[in-house]
Amino acid sequence: MLKRSRALASVAVIAILSGMGAPAWAETLKEALALAYQTNPSLLAQRASQRALDESIVQARAGLRPQLDVTASAGYSWSETAGGLREFDTNNDGIPDTTINVPASNSDGTTGGVSLGLSQTIWSGGRIGHGISAAEANILAGRENLRDIEQTVLASVIQAYADVIRDSEILRIRQSNLGVLGRQRDESSARFEVGEITRTDVAQSEARLAQSEADLANAQAQLSVSRAVYAAVVGQAPGDLAPMPVLPNLPVDFDSALDVALTDNPGIRAAGYNLQAAEANVAAAKAEYMPSARLTASYGGSTNDIGSPGDIADNTSFTAGASISVPLFTGGLNSSRVAQAHERANIAQINLEGERRNTLQSVSSAYAQSLSARSTLTAGQEAVRAATVAAEGVRQEAQVGLRTTLDVLNQELELRNAEVTLASARRNEYVAQANLLAAMGRLEGQDLDASIAVYDPAANYNRVRNRGALPWDGVIEAIDRIAAPPVVPANDAVDAPIDSQLKSEIVQTAPRD
């Protein structure tokens, strides 16, 4: 009870910190998913990370806008001339003829000025435009990473939910077995007292009872572990959980699962956006070779006596102009940046291919595990039915002396093992189906529960995108993209996407219903 109270206290702290409403006790899987969707730390951290990434579009678009700065300066000068005798040539014959005692002297003064500077980029050769494109692609990749984390969290919730149900069922089986073996031990002792069986039969009953007590302790420990995992993932300790509902959007066959995964898997989509960003960065690096044009203006005033600041108004100036900068020689810096950007684009393309292959592996593995667990579940149901009939028959036969005590104990053990296997098979099939949906990209909050309050990452992006915008942003961006280096796809010859032959081979070797 103390451990449970501490767990509930921790959950209360989580709810207070999150500041979000949640049901007091998650009874169904939908309630558990909804609570985790609102309060899971990993998911909340990824959402915050995405909001931070959204700021990159503001930073990229800042290059479209003027830069305004004010500069203030102040100075102080002091000088001293030493006194003493000085010889002077008064008749210019080259010979000093007069000596004068010059007194020492010193002087000081202050200077000050204030100026306001304005600079507006008109054309950067595409640096700004491609930077905006790269930022937008990175933000889209971040949204896919958020989808991936969301699916990982929800898959963990489903697994924790299934684990608690499985371990609760196993604990019930162990408790029932302990009661049966306790009665069997008592019955063996009574029969031994009247001479129907031997001491060996009693010892066998006692040994099985002791083993059952150990199994019960292990089941209790495993349930405690599963409940702790559930509380960590969901945000509160599990109550009396309802049976697991049927998962939606399950594929009808492996081919359809694979087709959906290659389109919707967040890892593949994120890698695709990362490739777009890398290709935009290559074009931005090439734009460093291009000229740039700027408009500048400056207005300010200065004074030779800070003590009289009104003099600044009498010494004001205004300048305005345009400048074009053409890079001629950078010591190999620009060419190195272009080469570096090319290699990073190649890395992004290789990563995209890697994500496709990882997705193929994940879908194949989850689909095979799902079929295997389903077969085990069907066999387990038949095994439990047959073992139940056999156990009852052996007990009745033992009553009339046709079976030994060991036969009864062995049949009870076989029945309990079949029940445990069946409980594990139910859990394994359900978790495998959830993992399959995650590999397909179909395990998001709205996929599992249409009524869930969905977090929309685009809302924050739309809110911050035009922060600090000026009316001429669109015009400057359109001008900047004129004659800019085009975005060129990465080297397709290095790593081509999954070809139809590889996909066909995987489909042919996939497990079938």
Side-chain angles (χ1 to χ4, degrees):
M1 289 300 295
L2 179 58
K3 292 182 179 179
R4 183 174 180 180
S5 298
R6 290 177 177 175
L8 291 176
S10 299
V11 170
V13 172
I14 293 173
I16 292 173
L17 293 178
S18 65
M20 306 179 73
W25 200 259
E27 298 288 347
T28 67
L29 179 58
K30 281 188 176 182
E31 291 172 339
L33 291 170
L35 181 58
Y37 191 83
Q38 294 173 348
T39 64
N40 184 270
S42 298
L43 192 52
L44 295 179
Q46 190 64 28
R47 290 171 182 169
S49 177
Q50 181 62 28
R51 292 192 294 272
L53 184 59
D54 288 341
E55 296 296 329
S56 63
I57 190 63
V58 181
Q59 298 165 16
R61 295 184 63 83
L64 302 172
R65 299 154 193 162
Q67 302 295 315
L68 184 65
D69 60 83
V70 60
T71 302
S73 63
Y76 172 79
S77 63
W78 177 84
S79 63
E80 180 181 21
T81 302
L85 297 176
R86 299 287 190 272
E87 294 182 343
F88 296 93
D89 181 10
T90 59
N91 56 11
N92 296 321
D93 61 359
I95 300 174
D97 52 22
T98 302
T99 301
I100 300 175
N101 185 19
V102 179
S105 64
N106 60 70
S107 63
D108 61 352
T110 58
T111 60
V114 177
S115 64
L116 187 66
L118 178 68
S119 175
Q120 170 69 65
T121 299
I122 300 300
W123 188 67
S124 68
R127 300 179 187 88
I128 298 175
H130 289 310
I132 292 173
S133 298
E136 290 173 341
N138 284 327
I139 288 172
L140 293 175
R143 292 182 189 177
E144 296 303 322
N145 291 331
L146 176 59
R147 285 184 60 220
D148 190 27
I149 294 297
E150 179 180 326
Q151 294 193 142
T152 299
V153 169
L154 296 185
S156 299
V157 172
I158 291 174
Q159 178 174 333
Y161 193 96
D163 286 349
V164 171
I165 290 181
R166 175 201 61 191
D167 295 336
S168 298
E169 177 65 13
I170 292 177
L171 178 61
R172 184 197 62 77
I173 294 171
R174 297 305 185 193
Q175 290 172 337
S176 175
N177 188 50
L178 183 64
V180 171
L181 292 179
R183 290 191 296 273
Q184 180 65 37
R185 189 270 314 271
D186 295 340
E187 181 181 343
S188 297
S189 298
R191 295 179 64 188
F192 171 73
E193 293 295 334
V194 298
E196 292 185 6
I197 58 176
T198 66
R199 169 62 66 179
T200 302
D201 296 302
V202 177
Q204 290 172 341
S205 298
E206 292 173 343
R208 290 295 175 87
L209 180 61
Q211 182 61 50
S212 180
E213 292 173 345
D215 292 339
L216 177 61
N218 290 334
Q220 290 172 334
Q222 182 58 48
L223 179 58
S224 297
V225 171
S226 297
R227 289 173 62 87
V229 173
Y230 181 99
V233 175
V234 175
Q236 67 181 20
D240 185 12
L241 303 184
M244 297 176 291
V246 177
L247 291 174
N249 303 322
L250 290 173
V252 296
D253 53 31
F254 178 77
D255 294 4
S256 59
L258 187 57
D259 290 338
V260 171
L262 292 176
T263 302
D264 291 347
N265 181 274
I268 294 179
R269 292 171 65 91
Y273 288 126
N274 286 333
L275 177 58
Q276 292 180 17
E279 291 170 347
N281 287 332
V282 172
K286 292 179 179 179
E288 296 292 337
Y289 288 106
M290 305 293 289
S292 60
R294 301 174 66 86
L295 296 177
T296 59
S298 175
Y299 176 79
S302 62
T303 179
N304 292 325
D305 186 1
I306 294 180
S308 302
D311 292 345
I312 294 180
D314 299 328
N315 296 279
T316 58
S317 63
F318 173 78
T319 60
S323 65
I324 297 177
S325 176
V326 182
L328 297 178
F329 179 71
T330 59
L333 178 62
N334 287 347
S335 60
S336 177
R337 286 174 174 171
V338 171
Q340 183 182 58
H342 269 300
E343 292 304 325
R344 286 176 175 169
N346 289 336
I347 292 172
Q349 187 181 48
I350 293 170
N351 289 339
L352 175 57
E353 172 69 8
E355 286 296 335
R356 289 195 183 102
R357 297 185 181 185
N358 290 339
T359 298
L360 287 172
Q361 177 187 357
S362 299
V363 172
S364 300
S365 176
Y367 193 83
Q369 291 174 358
S370 178
L371 292 183
S372 174
R374 187 182 308 166
S375 300
T376 304
L377 177 60
T378 302
Q381 291 171 338
E382 178 61 24
V384 169
R385 185 199 63 79
T388 301
V389 174
E392 180 62 26
V394 169
R395 281 194 295 267
Q396 293 178 1
E397 292 171 358
Q399 294 294 329
V400 296
L402 298 178
R403 294 284 184 172
T404 65
T405 300
L406 184 59
D407 292 333
V408 175
L409 295 174
N410 287 340
Q411 192 57 50
E412 285 291 340
L413 178 61
E414 184 174 341
L415 173 58
R416 303 311 171 189
N417 289 340
E419 291 175 337
V420 169
T421 300
L422 179 59
S424 297
R426 289 196 186 98
R427 177 266 180 198
N428 293 340
E429 182 191 28
Y430 204 76
V431 171
Q433 290 174 346
N435 291 335
L436 177 59
L437 290 174
M440 294 167 56
R442 295 293 178 86
L443 200 68
E444 297 177 78
Q446 65 269 26
D447 295 327
L448 299 173
D449 184 4
S451 64
I452 198 170
V454 177
Y455 177 82
D456 183 12
N460 182 74
Y461 171 83
N462 294 332
R463 181 179 62 83
V464 305
R465 182 180 186 275
N466 294 318
R467 183 193 299 150
L470 295 174
W472 57 82
D473 282 3
V475 176
I476 298 297
E477 182 176 358
I479 294 174
D480 191 68
R481 294 183 184 274
I482 297 176
V487 176
V488 179
N491 186 6
D492 292 335
V494 175
D495 288 275
I498 294 176
D499 56 28
S500 58
Q501 181 179 358
L502 176 58
K503 180 180 176 181
S504 176
E505 291 176 354
I506 293 176
V507 171
Q508 291 174 2
T509 58
R512 302 296 173 184
D513 292 338

